């Protein structure tokens, strides 16, 4: 597979990263995904739950493969409008306040306004707050400071802001000249780009897999039930294409594809993991096999919902997960190689 498909995948991810889509606020991102697959010539539909299910073709419908990635991200929700007009948040997914401190945010009101602000430690000036360094960062000690002239809760409500409004953190996406991809929320929009890269490769080369292949881009992964529905009839295996972990105790780097043998939900299918390793070796992909200590995936939700299938997990290596994340075009390319090998196309 040519490296140009990895570059295509990365640039598709960049487009998707520009669309705010924390869990529960994903309609616009899902529409983009739907149109992106349809523009490549694939049959795709929106599920009742809000995800996108794509038929990538193939003949054997009794041995189907489901590839899962997710378009929902971390974010926040307004939990309280404070007396000074600032906002206390509650997390959507695993958004850590320490990782969001001093980041620009957008508040989406029910009335359609988008109001900018910054997520800051309360009393955020070092020159004023003598306990700045010692203050614990939490959603009780941090707040959104709106970029509007507000001094009271009534001032903020007059802008249309209310409890339950969605707060989105700026992703700060960029691709460096050396091929590194940096952004919040590469988990898992980079993998959506990878599935689009695979779909474009298959379409350009007029390739039809032996087995029926589907893709499901879910929208509730970050809260644990994204993959719990919409498994097409005849599917016998499901693979989450999500971020590969990079960190102490793991072998994977951002330039590799990671094959996960086990995470906090238990071991992945020994058979599927073995076939993924075989595919990586056949395609000469640079890969690592790792165990993730603090991780869960869409495909585990698929199993927990009672589906009788084998499961696996792969992904391009991503450093600083759930923070300001980093991967590399080579990691995308190696992931595409494994998928190509697994589909035997």
């Amino acid at each position: 597979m040519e490296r140009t498909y990895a570059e295509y995948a990365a640039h598709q991810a960049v487009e998707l990263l520009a669309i705010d889509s924390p869990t529960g606020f994903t309609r616009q991102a899902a529409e983009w995904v739907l149109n992106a697959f349809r523009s490549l010539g694939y049959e795709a539909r929106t599920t009742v739950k809000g995800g996108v299910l794509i038929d990538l073709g193939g003949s054997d419908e009794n041995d189907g493969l489901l590839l899962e990635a997710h378009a929902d991200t971390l974010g926040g929700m307004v939990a309280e409008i404070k007396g000074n007009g600032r906002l206390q948040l509650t997390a959507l997914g695993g958004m850590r306040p320490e990782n969001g401190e001093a980041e620009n945010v957008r508040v989406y009101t029910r009335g359609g306004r988008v109001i900018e602000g910054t997520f800051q430690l309360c009393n955020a000036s070092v020159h004023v707050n003598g306990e700045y360094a010692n203050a614990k960062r939490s959603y009780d000690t941090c707040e959104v400071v709106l970029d509007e002239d507000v001094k009271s809760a009534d001032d903020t409500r007059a802008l249309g802001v209310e409890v339950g409004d969605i707060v989105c953190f700026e992703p700060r996406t960029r691709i460096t000249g050396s091929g590194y991809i940096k952004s919040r929320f590469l988990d898992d929009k980079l993998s959506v780009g990878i599935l689009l890269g695979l779909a474009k490769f298959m379409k350009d080369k007029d390739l039809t897999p032996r087995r029926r292949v589907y893709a499901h881009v879910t929208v509730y992964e970050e809260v644990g039930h994204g993959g719990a529905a919409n498994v097409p009839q005849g599917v016998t295996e499901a693979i989450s294409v999500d971020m590969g972990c990079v960190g102490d105790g793991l072998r994977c780097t951002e330039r590799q594809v990671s094959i996960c043998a086990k995470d906090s939900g238990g071991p992945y299918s020994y058979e599927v993991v073995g076939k993924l390793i075989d595919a990586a070796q056949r395609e000469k992909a640079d890969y690592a096999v790792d165990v993730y200590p603090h991780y869960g995936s869409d495909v585990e939700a698929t199993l927990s919902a009672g589906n009788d299938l084998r499961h696996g997990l792969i992904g391009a290596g991503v450093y600083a997960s759930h923070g300001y994340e980093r991967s590399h075009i080579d990691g995308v390319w190696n992931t595409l190689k494994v998928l190509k090998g697994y589909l035997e196309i």
Side-chain angles (χ1 to χ4, degrees):
M1 177 184 287
E2 299 92 330
R3 196 174 189 268
T4 53
Y5 289 101
E7 295 166 354
Y8 170 85
H11 287 287
Q12 292 297 104
V14 168
E15 286 194 30
L16 183 55
L17 283 158
I19 303 172
D20 291 327
S21 60
T23 299
F25 189 72
T26 54
R27 182 185 57 80
Q28 187 179 357
E31 287 179 357
W32 183 94
V33 171
L34 180 76
N35 291 329
F37 278 99
R38 283 181 172 175
S39 71
L40 292 174
Y42 290 96
E43 179 183 334
R45 66 175 178 87
T46 304
T47 69
V48 174
K49 196 171 180 177
V52 180
L53 189 64
I54 308 103
D55 187 343
L56 295 176
S59 55
D60 189 348
E61 296 186 359
N62 296 314
D63 185 27
L65 172 65
L66 178 64
L67 304 174
E68 298 181 281
H70 65 93
D72 63 308
T73 71
L74 311 180
M77 177 182 284
V78 177
E80 178 188 351
I81 301 175
K82 301 167 72 172
N84 59 5
R86 298 179 180 184
L87 308 178
Q88 183 170 336
L89 301 188
T90 183
L92 294 176
M95 184 72 209
R96 299 284 305 184
E98 306 95 318
N99 279 325
E101 184 181 359
E103 187 61 87
N104 292 320
V105 301
R106 287 179 284 273
V107 181
Y108 286 79
T109 72
R110 290 279 180 179
R113 290 192 66 179
V114 182
I115 299 172
E116 295 191 34
T118 311
F119 187 66
Q120 298 275 27
L121 179 70
C122 298
N123 195 19
S125 296
V126 174
H127 294 88
V128 175
N129 184 354
E131 296 300 315
Y132 180 93
N134 299 324
K136 178 178 173 58
R137 272 58 174 173
S138 72
Y139 286 105
D140 291 326
T141 63
C142 295
E143 62 189 2
V144 171
V145 182
L146 295 174
D147 295 329
E148 300 286 343
D149 186 16
V150 295
K151 301 179 179 66
S152 68
D154 287 343
D155 290 342
T156 296
R157 284 196 164 92
L159 297 173
V161 179
E162 194 45 86
V163 170
D165 286 345
I166 301 295
V167 179
C168 302
F169 289 73
E170 175 64 43
R172 287 189 286 126
T173 306
R174 63 179 303 214
I175 299 179
T176 71
S178 55
Y180 284 97
I181 309 162
K182 303 196 297 184
S183 183
R184 292 186 185 276
F185 317 133
L186 295 181
D187 172 19
D188 189 32
K189 291 183 175 181
L190 185 59
S191 295
V192 177
I194 288 169
L195 292 185
L196 282 164
L198 176 68
K200 180 170 174 57
F201 171 75
M202 292 168 59
K203 188 64 66 172
D204 286 352
K205 305 296 184 181
D206 195 24
L207 299 171
T208 301
R210 173 193 61 79
R211 64 198 306 193
R212 197 61 165 233
V213 180
Y214 305 91
H216 184 196
V217 177
T218 72
V219 291
Y220 283 99
E221 192 274 348
E222 295 293 358
V223 291
H225 59 84
N230 298 296
V231 177
Q233 186 174 356
V235 167
T236 60
E237 291 180 350
I239 296 175
S240 275
V241 186
D242 208 322
M243 64 170 188
C245 290
V246 176
D248 291 350
L250 305 183
R251 291 180 54 237
C252 188
T253 72
E254 297 106 308
R255 302 181 80 124
Q256 295 177 299
V257 56
S258 179
I259 299 171
C260 183
K262 175 185 179 293
D263 64 14
S264 61
Y268 285 85
S269 164
Y270 190 83
E271 179 181 353
V272 171
V273 171
K275 291 195 294 183
L276 288 166
I277 293 170
D278 290 344
Q281 292 174 346
R282 284 197 311 273
E283 298 296 324
K284 296 181 171 52
D286 189 2
Y287 74 97
V289 179
D290 274 316
V291 171
Y292 305 162
H294 310 288
Y295 196 106
S297 73
D298 259 330
V299 74
E300 287 167 322
T302 303
L303 280 182
S304 295
N307 293 285
D308 183 19
L309 45 75
R310 298 176 295 276
H311 68 318
L313 167 64
I314 65 170
V318 172
Y319 182 64
S321 60
H322 280 199
Y324 188 57
E325 299 166 338
R326 191 179 81 158
S327 191
H328 194 277
I329 295 287
D330 286 349
V332 174
W333 192 19
N334 285 307
T335 306
L336 284 167
K337 289 178 183 178
V338 172
L339 290 171
K340 173 182 178 293
Y342 202 86
L343 269 59
E344 300 177 339
I345 51 175

